[in-house]
Amino acid sequence: MLTVFDQFTRCITDVTTQLTALGIPLTAPAAPPADPDPTDPWASSYDVPVDRSTLAWSTAVTMLADHHHTSVDRQVPAADALLRELGVRGLAQLHSDLHHGAPVDYRFTRCPYCSGIGEDPTRSTCEDIGCPPEYQFAGHDHICPVCRGDDYQPQWFAEEHMQKLEDLLAGAIQKSEEHASLRYRIWTRLHRRAPRS
């Protein structure tokens, strides 16, 4: 039986197999050093290494390839740049950008990183993430850094939204009827025929 966590492993395996077959290394080369900025002498020139065998990178390159209808190898530099600049949280920005800048409601759209489970799919520990000591106890969940733990249940949230829309529509109809009645009374007063003498 295939579990959700098996999907993550399969995604990584598929992408790394394609990269290996194309001769693309699984670690991104370091970016060229930036020219020193004379206005900011404390600027860091530290380059964040990008591991192409992680779930985040595999998700980013797959999202880009699917969106642009290209092969994975064409999107390698873009995925490198995204994770180097924004890290895992950059996947949420990428997802929004691919939807033409519209915010993504993860209650209706399955999160591309955690596949809708709402937790960090890498199963990292508090020590790995650096949680404060007071949070390092049983039951402390690590929510997904992309969807921030939104509960993917479109069938439940759709009913709730339909009920809200029905309430709004009923209120609008009632207001419209009230306004129509008021408009009629004003019209009749303005258009009363004055008696002719």
Side-chain angles (χ1 to χ4, degrees), residues 31-54:
D35 294 331
D37 184 0
T39 61
D40 188 5
W42 299 102
S44 173
S45 61
Y46 174 71
D47 183 32
V48 179
V50 176
D51 184 1
R52 294 176 178 159
S53 63
T54 62

Side-chain angles (χ1 to χ4, degrees), residues 167-184:
D167 294 344
L168 288 172
L169 182 59
I173 290 171
Q174 183 180 0
K175 288 241 187 238
S176 177
E177 290 171 354
E178 290 171 4
H179 288 292
S181 172
L182 179 62
R183 280 194 302 267
Y184 178 74

